[in-house]
Amino acid sequence: MPPVNDDSPVARFASSAPDAPVWRRLAVPAGLLAAVAGAVAYVGAVDPNQPGHYPVCPLYGLTGLYCPGCGGLRSAHAFVHGDLLGALRDNALGVAAYLAFAVLWTVWAVRTVRGGPFRLGLGRAQLWAAGGLLLAFTVLRNLPFGGWLRP
């Protein structure tokens, strides 16, 4: 990777970002939070258990197999309404993802306010582990004894 020229716009932006006002540094995290909150509010208001509001999962519609996201809308709806057990029943991995998003967004916002960078720094091992978890979840929920993981 070539060295970054100190006069480049990227270098100037990176060096001036901590000096920017807090409201400006928080624009991107706040925008993402607003988008996610809007989507979650919509799912909370429009019940996915009622037919005709959302499309059927393409994988389930074609094969009858549950993907890792199947039941995610019902899980989000139950989570918004405070039904944690119902949310876990519909998609346990989705509930873990909601909580992980909340933690990661909070860390991002705090580091942004303090003027520090936010880097996840996931290596190959972590990415393979996440992929393996998704694969195991998908396979288990489609096996006969994995009925407790089905939506």
Side-chain angles (χ1 to χ4, degrees), residues 17-138:
D19 298 333
V22 173
W23 65 269
R24 190 167 182 181
R25 290 192 312 246
L26 279 175
V28 174
L32 178 66
L33 182 63
V36 169
V40 170
Y42 181 80
V43 171
V46 180
D47 190 359
N49 295 305
Q50 302 298 321
H53 293 293
Y54 300 98
V56 175
C57 171
L59 181 67
Y60 182 75
L62 292 173
T63 65
L65 296 173
Y66 296 105
C67 76
C70 280
L73 290 174
R74 290 187 295 273
S75 175
H77 182 78
F79 193 80
V80 167
H81 289 276
D83 183 10
L84 184 59
L85 290 177
L88 286 167
R89 182 182 61 245
D90 287 330
N91 192 324
L93 200 56
V95 174
Y98 312 148
L99 299 175
F101 173 80
V103 169
L104 288 173
W105 185 89
T106 303
V107 170
W108 182 23
V110 168
R111 287 189 181 170
T112 299
V113 166
R114 292 181 179 170
F118 177 68
R119 292 185 183 94
L120 276 178
L122 295 176
R124 284 186 182 194
Q126 290 89 0
L127 293 174
W128 277 103
L133 177 67
L134 280 173
L135 181 63
F137 180 72
T138 304

